[in-house]
Amino acid sequence: MSRQAFEIAGETVAPGTTKIVQIPVSVLSDHTPMSLSVQVLNGKRPGPVVFLSAAIHGDEIIGVEMIRRVIRTPQMRSIAGTLICVPVVNTYGFITHSRYLPDRRDLNRSFPGAPTGSLAARLADIFMTEVVERCEAGIDLHSAAVNRTNLPQIRVDTKVPQALELALEFAAPVIVHSSLREGSLREAAQERGIPVIVYESGEALRFDETALRMGVKGILRVLGKLGMLRADKRLKATLRSEIGNKSSWARAPMGGVLRMHRDCGEHVEEGTLIATLSDPLGTTEVEITAPCDGLIIGRTVLPIVNEGDAVVHIAEIIKRRNEEPMVQLGEALSNDPLFDEDEII
């Protein structure tokens, strides 16, 4: 069955072709035009329309590299349906290495936006209208905030069956239930019947090779689940995701110098020693213990903390796997047959 050309922002993309489309967003104060760069891969075979997005928070750059690698994988040459790739949604924050827009608004609290609202509202409206509302599903890529790191994980509202199905297919180390938050992309998309999952991994302004490779494979698995890619045994998941129903932070009871004893991917029991905090001379020491049983899914990377700072993020697990700890995944992925270093990296 032949397909029609795909239309976006007044441009057309013929079946079996790829095209980069620049969607106008605004003009800066010096009258430099700002646009949303979108790459459309329109397959010859019928299939769904799906979007990949990254850098909604401008300093969360790991997803930008993930999308670049996905576009370059050989599987994309025979894609069915249409894949809309938006590697940098928040161009303003990406350029300035900032999470936020110039008006200090969080884009991921500004959806669905409005065409005559703030800069954040206008950008959210353009992204929703030109990208999200054309799609049947989406994958949004994030990292931890600055000075923190995340274990590769999927955030999803587990009460949404279509989204949970995609999350399970992604096969990240852990799936954490996350209710739809007001103003988020996930909420705005779900209100339109479009399931969106969020992949969180690594640090802001940094690349993590293990997290990158897990992300690329997870994305390809989801696209395969949606019928957009042909079966590939190299994409078969070797791990089943643990599932967490909620999460909580262990916080610093005082300011000082932090020594970590546990890392992301480790299971802990309530009361387990996870870090020690002392004054610079070591005359006063305080132990920080796990507030609950669970899996460490995030932590600070700064050894200097203030009272109340978040130190370790722990997900309470309701479904646990029996495989090796996630901290050993780097070795497992080092010789991954999916990736040809000369072509992908």
Side-chain angles (χ1 to χ4, degrees):
M1 180 186 299
S2 60
R3 300 186 69 215
Q4 296 181 345
F6 184 79
E7 297 185 4
I8 183 170
E11 300 210 28
T12 59
V13 186
T17 67
T18 298
K19 188 173 186 178
I20 296 175
V21 178
Q22 301 293 343
I23 303 175
V25 173
S26 71
V27 177
L28 300 181
S29 55
D30 65 351
H31 277 225
T32 299
M34 189 69 73
S35 63
L36 195 65
S37 296
V38 176
Q39 184 157 347
V40 180
L41 290 73
N42 195 25
K44 291 182 179 179
R45 296 180 291 129
V49 182
V50 174
F51 74 86
L52 301 179
S53 60
I56 279 182
H57 295 134
D59 60 353
E60 298 182 6
I61 64 171
I62 192 168
V64 180
E65 173 65 4
M66 259 178 256
I67 291 177
R68 186 190 74 83
R69 295 189 188 191
V70 167
I71 291 171
R72 290 170 60 87
T73 56
Q75 286 85 351
M76 293 299 108
R77 297 169 190 162
S78 58
I79 190 171
T82 304
L83 184 65
I84 306 176
C85 299
V86 191
V88 182
V89 180
N90 179 3
T91 304
Y92 308 92
F94 186 77
I95 291 171
T96 59
H97 302 170
S98 170
R99 178 182 181 89
Y100 304 105
L101 288 155
D103 58 4
R104 295 296 298 170
R105 282 183 168 87
D106 184 334
L107 182 58
N108 210 26
R109 298 295 178 268
S110 303
F111 288 97
T116 58
S118 66
L119 177 60
R122 294 176 188 225
L123 177 55
D125 176 71
I126 290 170
F127 185 65
M128 287 296 300
T129 303
E130 296 292 351
V131 177
V132 179
E133 292 179 356
R134 299 176 186 274
C135 297
E136 295 158 61
I139 304 174
D140 190 29
L141 306 172
H142 287 256
S143 74
V146 67
N147 297 327
R148 294 179 183 172
T149 187
N150 277 341
L151 178 75
Q153 61 196 262
I154 291 289
R155 302 280 181 89
V156 68
D157 187 337
T158 56
K159 298 176 183 178
V160 179
Q162 305 96 320
L164 179 58
E165 186 177 11
L166 299 182
L168 290 167
E169 190 67 27
F170 196 103
V174 62
I175 295 170
V176 182
H177 170 73
S178 179
S179 298
L180 298 174
R181 183 171 294 185
E182 184 177 358
S184 69
L185 170 62
R186 283 196 302 129
E187 181 200 53
Q190 189 58 50
E191 287 179 350
R192 290 156 177 77
I194 305 164
V196 173
I197 61 173
V198 171
Y199 177 59
E200 292 261 6
S201 62
E203 301 179 47
L205 300 174
R206 298 288 186 274
F207 286 167
D208 178 292
E209 189 61 31
T210 298
L212 279 166
R213 293 187 176 211
M214 291 189 72
V216 171
K217 290 193 76 170
I219 291 167
L220 295 178
R221 276 194 288 267
V222 170
L223 296 182
K225 175 71 173 180
L226 293 170
M228 300 177 71
L229 301 179
R230 293 190 171 94
D232 188 334
K233 63 181 180 180
R234 295 174 297 175
L235 294 177
K236 184 178 179 181
T238 57
L239 294 169
R240 291 186 179 181
S241 301
E242 298 194 36
I243 299 178
N245 61 341
K246 59 181 179 178
S247 62
S248 58
W249 282 92
R251 295 185 176 273
M254 70 175 192
V257 181
L258 185 71
R259 304 194 305 277
M260 296 293 303
H261 306 306
R262 300 285 183 170
D263 205 351
C264 289
E266 294 190 59
H267 291 93
V268 294
E269 297 179 350
E270 183 178 356
T272 299
L273 177 65
I274 53 179
T276 303
L277 189 59
S278 68
D279 67 90
L281 293 175
T283 57
T284 301
E285 285 199 345
V286 175
E287 293 183 344
I288 301 176
T289 59
C292 60
D293 295 355
L295 177 70
I296 297 177
I297 61 171
R299 67 173 180 84
T300 181
V301 295
L302 286 180
I304 309 301
V305 298
N306 293 309
E307 183 175 343
D309 281 356
V311 175
V312 172
H313 197 192
I314 299 175
E316 298 184 32
I317 302 300
I318 59 175
K319 182 178 180 182
R320 185 169 173 176
R321 62 176 180 273
N322 297 318
E323 288 85 354
E324 292 297 312
M326 287 298 107
V327 290
Q328 298 179 10
L329 272 181
E331 296 179 17
L333 289 173
S334 60
N335 296 313
D336 195 325
L338 176 67
F339 297 99
D340 181 332
E341 300 293 333
D342 294 332
E343 182 174 2
I344 302 300
I345 303 303

